[in-house]
């Protein structure tokens, strides 16, 4: 039976066992829960060089395009998709073949080198998902700590609020939070970002935006010397307005209004 070449352990993950639940379902007379067989699920990443890894073991040892165990080149190139790292995955979701894990490996490698960006990238993902509660939680949490003006911790703990709002993802086509909100189709998040990180005239905002911001306890501060989020461009030179023009749909009525771009 194959084992992980990194830790030499079986290619499974042991699930945590709830002893209290086990006791309630039928404990012994001594009051102790009977020992139960550990429950496991598969955790096998088979690279095209033939080496097996646990997923976390691979992330810890991963080297770009090379197997960290045998040193063989594991990257392939597709004419239409570009570089790939194809593997066979066997996990709780079943068995999948020819899965490209290069994007995930690239992301984890980057975050290993720049752990402070983990929170910034999470913020962008919340903007893309339209998760307003998570966005506000992150902004208010960082704002409460801003008085100490510390640098970001190596664990990605503390991030300056202005940097969070204006962050552009180096491995995500340099998209900003406003790009992410547009891509995710969330007008609610877009309004919030414009309120906090743009110089858009206050008369342009619907009354309900102010009402919601007041409920959330956040409002625009002094923007002197700070980049207007509408001016940020992705790696293709597109503003959020350009992206909205490509997407259309819910953004059609926003085009040409100056809400998403300084160039209108």
């Amino acid at each position: 039976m194959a084992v992980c070449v990194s830790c030499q352990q079986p290619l499974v993950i042991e699930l945590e066992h709830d002893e209290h639940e086990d006791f309630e379902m039928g404990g012994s007379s001594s009051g102790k829960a009977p020992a139960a067989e550990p429950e496991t699920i598969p955790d096998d990443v088979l690279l095209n060089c033939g080496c097996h890894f646990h997923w976390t073991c691979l992330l810890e040892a991963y080297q770009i395009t090379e197997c960290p165990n045998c040193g063989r080149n594991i990257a392939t190139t597709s004419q239409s998709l570009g570089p790939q790292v194809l593997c066979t995955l066997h996990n709780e979701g079943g068995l999948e073949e020819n899965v490209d894990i290069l994007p995930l490996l690239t992301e984890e490698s980057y975050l290993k080198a720049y752990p402070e960006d983990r929170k910034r990238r999470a913020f962008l993902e919340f903007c893309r998902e339209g998760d307003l509660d998570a966005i506000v939680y992150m902004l208010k949490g960082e704002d409460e700590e801003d008085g100490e003006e510390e640098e970001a911790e190596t664990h990605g703990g503390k991030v300056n609020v202005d940097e969070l709002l204006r962050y552009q993802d180096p491995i995500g086509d340099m998209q900003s939070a406003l790009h992410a909100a547009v891509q995710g189709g969330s007008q609610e998040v877009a309004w919030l970002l414009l309120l906090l990180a743009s110089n858009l005239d206050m008369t342009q905002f619907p009354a309900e935006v102010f009402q919601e911001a007041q409920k959330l306890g956040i409002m625009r501060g002094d923007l002197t010397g700070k980049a207007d989020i509408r001016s940020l461009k992705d790696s293709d030179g597109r503003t959020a307005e350009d992206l909205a023009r490509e997407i259309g749909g819910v953004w059609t009525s926003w085009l040409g209004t100056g809400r998403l771009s300084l160039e209108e």
Side-chain angles (χ1 to χ4, degrees), residues 50-96:
C51 293
H52 292 262
F53 287 86
H54 293 120
W55 177 246
T56 55
C57 289
L58 178 60
L59 292 182
E60 289 171 2
Y62 176 63
Q63 301 171 25
I64 297 293
T65 73
E66 290 183 358
C67 173
N69 178 60
C70 68
R72 287 179 56 187
N73 185 358
I74 55 174
T76 58
T77 301
S78 162
Q79 268 191 331
S80 58
L81 300 175
Q84 296 179 302
V85 172
L86 300 178
C87 69
T88 299
L89 289 181
H90 189 196
N91 52 30
E92 70 276 13
L95 184 67
E96 295 180 85

Side-chain angles (χ1 to χ4, degrees), residues 4-233:
C4 172
V5 294
S6 179
C7 68
Q8 297 299 309
Q9 296 299 311
L11 294 160
V12 294
I13 295 177
E14 189 172 310
L15 298 179
E16 293 184 5
H17 189 68
D18 192 333
E19 292 186 359
H20 179 69
E21 179 181 342
D22 192 39
F23 175 74
E24 288 183 343
M25 292 178 64
S28 66
S29 58
S30 66
K32 294 182 180 180
E37 289 294 322
E39 184 179 354
T40 62
I41 55 175
D43 180 24
D44 183 5
V45 183
L46 173 59
L47 302 180
N48 55 29
C49 59
C51 293
H52 292 262
F53 287 86
H54 293 120
W55 177 246
T56 55
C57 289
L58 178 60
L59 292 182
E60 289 171 2
Y62 176 63
Q63 301 171 25
I64 297 293
T65 73
E66 290 183 358
C67 173
N69 178 60
C70 68
R72 287 179 56 187
N73 185 358
I74 55 174
T76 58
T77 301
S78 162
Q79 268 191 331
S80 58
L81 300 175
Q84 296 179 302
V85 172
L86 300 178
C87 69
T88 299
L89 289 181
H90 189 196
N91 52 30
E92 70 276 13
L95 184 67
E96 295 180 85
E97 297 182 344
N98 295 319
V99 179
D100 180 18
I101 58 173
L102 182 58
L104 291 173
L105 293 175
T106 301
E107 177 180 10
E108 286 300 323
S109 294
Y110 175 83
L111 292 175
K112 223 193 264 191
Y114 303 98
E116 67 275 11
D117 273 9
R118 191 174 294 275
K119 181 172 282 190
R120 298 183 180 106
R121 297 190 79 248
F123 180 76
L124 260 61
E125 194 57 37
F126 289 141
C127 290
R128 190 171 288 110
E129 294 172 355
D131 193 338
L132 193 63
D133 289 339
I135 292 168
V136 172
Y137 178 82
M138 289 188 73
L139 290 173
K140 293 185 73 173
E142 296 301 335
D143 192 46
E144 289 171 0
E145 298 176 356
D146 267 352
E148 299 179 9
E149 296 294 333
E150 297 175 354
E151 293 295 323
E153 297 173 3
T154 55
H155 290 78
K158 179 168 171 32
V159 180
N160 180 276
V161 172
D162 290 326
E163 292 178 1
L164 195 66
L165 288 167
R166 294 166 178 82
Y167 175 71
Q168 292 182 262
D169 187 2
I171 56 174
D173 298 325
M174 294 301 290
Q175 284 200 342
S176 69
L178 191 56
H179 285 92
V182 168
Q183 190 175 62
S186 177
Q187 291 187 357
E188 189 175 22
V189 171
W191 277 124
L192 176 64
L193 294 171
L194 291 171
L195 180 64
L196 299 178
S198 84
N199 288 305
L200 181 62
D201 194 291
M202 290 293 196
T203 61
Q204 296 290 318
F205 291 86
E208 53 266 29
V209 173
F210 292 113
Q211 293 168 0
E212 187 64 25
Q214 189 174 25
K215 286 180 187 176
L216 297 172
I218 52 178
M219 188 51 70
R220 179 183 294 178
D222 183 9
L223 299 178
T224 304
K226 299 172 183 176
D228 189 314
I229 196 171
R230 296 173 295 166
S231 69
L232 303 180
K233 297 181 179 181

Side-chain angles (χ1 to χ4, degrees), residues 226-251:
K226 299 172 183 176
D228 189 314
I229 196 171
R230 296 173 295 166
S231 69
L232 303 180
K233 297 181 179 181
D234 65 15
S235 57
D236 293 320
R238 299 176 302 178
T239 63
E241 172 90 355
D242 296 327
L243 183 59
R245 188 174 287 109
E246 293 178 14
I247 294 173
V250 298
W251 304 112

